[in-house]
Amino acid sequence: MDTLVAQLQRQLRDYTISLYHQGFLDDQFTELKKLQDECSPDFVAEVVSLFFEDCEKLISNMARALDQTGNVDFKLVGSSVHQLKGSSSSVGAKRVKGLCITFKECCDSQNFGGCVRCLQQVDIEYKSLKAKLQDLFNLEQQIVQAGGRIPQVDI
Amino acid sequence: MAVRDLSSSSSSPELHVLAVDDSFVDRKVIERLLRISSCKVTTVESGTRALQYLGLDGDKGSSGLKDLKVNLIVTDYSMPGLTGYELLKKIKESSAFREIPVVIMSSENIQPRIQHRCMTEGAEDFLLKPVKLADVKRLKELIMRSGQAEEGKTKNPCTKRILQDDIDSSPSSSSSSSSSSSSSSSSSSSSSSSYHDDVSSLDDDTPSSKRMKLESRVHD
C-alpha cells in the first residue's frame, strides 16, 4: 500500500513531466531548480512570481499602446514584447516565449490584427502557466507537510 | 581604482561581480547564479547606474571608491539608455577599470557583427541568454585563471596581453606571490637546476621579464 508521501511524490513527478512534454516548460526551468537549495528553498517560486508580475505589467503596457486607435506605436509594443520574451526565456516559460516570437513578427510588420490576437494569446498563456505552477508548488508543499522530500524529477 | 586583488586571498578568492541588466527577472537569476558559484554580487538596473557605482559618471565625488574591488562586470547587451556595448566602451576607456573583464549577455538574435564589435572593443566573452550555471562556472574559471596570470606568470596565450601590459607598466615590480600551479615544487627555491627549468618554460623575453626570471618564480 502506497504511503501518502509516495503517492504525492508520484503525482508530482507525473505532473512535472507532463508540463515539460506539453511544452509549458523547457530546460531553463530545470536550470532554475538547480539554483534552489536549503538556503534558498523558494528560489524558483520567487523568480516565477516576479515573471508573472512582469507579464501583467508588460501586457498592460502593450494593451494600452494597441488601444491608441490610428496611432499605434508598434515600436513600443515590440519593445515590451522583447522584454517579455527575455524574461520568459529566463524562467523556461516555453509557450509564452514562443508566442512572443510570433508577436514580435507582428509588431515588426505592423500587423495590428495579428498583434491583438497575439496579445490575447499571451495573456491566456501566462495565466494558464501561472495556475499550473501554483498546482506544482502546492503539491511540493503537501509532500513537505506530509513529512516527505521533494523528489528530483529527471526529464 | 581597479584592483584584481587575488593575491591576498587563500585558495579560492571570492570574486566580486557587478551584474547589469534592466530585467528584474534576469537580475534575480544572474545574482543567484553568481552567489551559488561563490561570488559576491552587486546588481544594478542600467548602464548609467553601473557607471555611478564605479564612479565613472563624471561626478568627482568618487574618491571613496578607490577601495572598490570589482573583478568582473557582466552586462546585458540591449538595455534602454546606455547599451551594454556603450557601457563596455566607457569601462575600457577608463584607466581605473579597463583591466576588469567585461562579459556581454544577449539573447539569440544578436547579429555576429555586433558580437564582433564587442569583442573588438575588449569584451572578454559573450554569454547567450538564458544564462546557465555551467556558463557561470566556466566564466569564473576563466577569470580566476587570467587573474592569477596577472599576479604570477603563466604562458597562457590568452593572458599574454594582460601580462605584457603588466610588465610594461611596472618594470621593476616583482611580485613574489607564487602561482598555485600544481607543478610548483617550491616558490622560493634558489637552486640552479630549478631556476634553469623555470627559465626554459618562459617564452617572454622582455628585459623586465628577464629580471623577473631571476626571482626564481615557479611556473607551469
Side-chain angles (χ1 to χ4, degrees):
Chain A
M1 195 70 163
D2 254 348
T3 62
L4 174 64
V5 168
Q7 278 176 38
L8 289 170
Q9 285 174 334
R10 199 175 45 246
Q11 246 187 296
L12 179 73
R13 256 195 204 98
D14 292 345
Y15 194 57
T16 307
I17 290 170
S18 78
L19 289 180
Y20 280 85
H21 284 186
Q22 289 172 54
F24 287 99
L25 299 173
D26 64 28
D27 62 65
Q28 183 60 17
F29 190 79
T30 317
E31 286 294 315
L32 289 190
K33 289 223 143 244
K34 288 183 193 169
L35 306 180
Q36 188 162 279
D37 58 19
E38 310 81 48
C39 307
S40 264
D42 299 313
F43 175 71
V44 179
E46 285 165 13
V47 178
V48 300
S49 173
L50 285 176
F51 166 65
F52 293 130
E53 278 174 31
D54 227 19
C55 287
E56 246 184 84
K57 188 189 78 179
L58 292 168
I59 285 170
S60 164
N61 290 350
M62 293 175 215
R64 200 176 21 244
L66 287 169
D67 221 15
Q68 312 299 313
T69 329
N71 193 24
V72 173
D73 186 348
F74 286 99
K75 272 205 161 61
L76 192 63
V77 184
S79 132
S80 289
V81 174
H82 176 80
Q83 283 182 64
L84 187 60
K85 178 170 163 261
S87 50
S88 59
S89 162
S90 294
V91 304
K94 191 174 178 181
R95 283 201 190 179
V96 177
K97 179 183 170 182
L99 285 173
C100 287
I101 293 171
T102 312
F103 200 162
K104 189 70 170 50
E105 286 165 9
C106 291
C107 292
D108 293 344
S109 53
Q110 307 208 349
N111 176 355
F112 181 75
C115 282
V116 170
R117 275 190 301 278
C118 284
L119 183 66
Q120 286 168 352
Q121 285 178 307
V122 160
D123 191 55
I124 290 168
E125 200 55 58
Y126 101 81
K127 285 171 176 161
S128 167
L129 180 63
K130 186 174 178 181
K132 289 186 188 297
L133 287 180
Q134 196 53 61
D135 287 344
L136 192 74
F137 297 141
N138 285 345
L139 260 176
E140 286 182 345
Q141 210 172 22
Q142 282 177 59
I143 292 171
V144 170
Q145 278 168 0
R149 255 183 60 253
I150 297 168
Q152 190 180 319
V153 183
D154 295 318
I155 306 304
Chain B
M1 104 183 15
V3 180
R4 259 200 258 164
D5 193 18
L6 298 173
S7 62
S8 60
S9 322
S10 55
S11 52
S12 70
E14 208 184 39
L15 295 185
H16 178 201
V17 185
L18 176 65
V20 191
D21 201 313
D22 60 312
S23 158
F24 200 178
V25 170
D26 288 357
R27 278 203 303 281
K28 181 140 178 113
V29 174
I30 194 80
E31 180 188 48
R32 183 72 189 140
L33 281 167
L34 290 165
R35 285 237 165 93
I36 218 173
S37 309
S38 311
C39 296
K40 188 176 154 207
V41 191
T42 301
T43 58
V44 291
E45 70 211 15
S46 69
T48 311
R49 278 264 183 268
L51 292 178
Q52 277 172 8
Y53 182 77
L54 296 169
L56 290 177
D57 56 339
D59 192 351
K60 290 303 171 193
S62 57
S63 52
L65 292 163
K66 281 206 176 79
D67 295 328
L68 188 70
K69 285 174 180 124
V70 174
N71 305 115
L72 169 65
I73 296 167
V74 179
T75 177
D76 191 25
Y77 177 79
S78 61
M79 297 186 289
L82 215 66
T83 66
Y85 173 73
E86 286 160 351
L87 176 62
L88 166 71
K89 273 186 77 172
K90 287 248 189 292
I91 290 166
K92 293 301 169 188
E93 278 163 11
S94 88
S95 54
F97 296 106
R98 82 174 119 90
E99 291 300 319
I100 300 185
V102 180
V103 170
I104 314 274
M105 301 182 285
S106 77
S107 58
E108 68 220 48
N109 46 24
I110 273 289
Q111 296 158 16
R113 67 172 174 83
I114 292 175
Q115 243 190 66
H116 177 75
R117 194 164 64 136
C118 289
M119 298 308 278
T120 309
E121 197 60 43
E124 189 76 26
D125 204 348
F126 228 89
L127 283 185
L128 207 58
K129 278 181 159 185
V131 182
K132 300 175 176 0
L133 201 56
D135 296 323
V136 173
K137 287 200 149 82
R138 182 179 56 85
L139 198 62
K140 195 186 171 190
E141 280 163 23
L142 185 81
I143 302 303
M144 302 288 277
R145 267 205 308 274
S146 54
Q148 281 168 6
E150 236 184 39
E151 296 295 326
K153 300 283 172 281
T154 73
K155 28 178 198 149
N156 184 335
C158 305
T159 59
K160 223 178 145 118
R161 180 184 62 77
I162 300 166
L163 197 62
Q164 202 58 47
D165 287 351
D166 200 43
I167 290 168
D168 291 344
S169 62
S170 53
S172 56
S173 78
S174 50
S175 156
S176 56
S177 63
S178 54
S179 72
S180 59
S181 70
S182 51
S183 63
S184 64
S185 47
S186 72
S187 54
S188 56
S189 160
S190 53
S191 65
S192 43
S193 52
S194 62
Y195 163 70
H196 285 299
D197 286 345
D198 292 345
V199 167
S200 61
S201 71
L202 290 174
D203 56 3
D204 202 327
D205 271 317
T206 62
S208 321
S209 69
K210 275 191 179 129
R211 197 177 311 130
M212 283 190 233
K213 286 177 195 176
L214 295 172
E215 307 287 333
S216 52
R217 310 229 16 254
V218 183
H219 308 279
D220 267 327

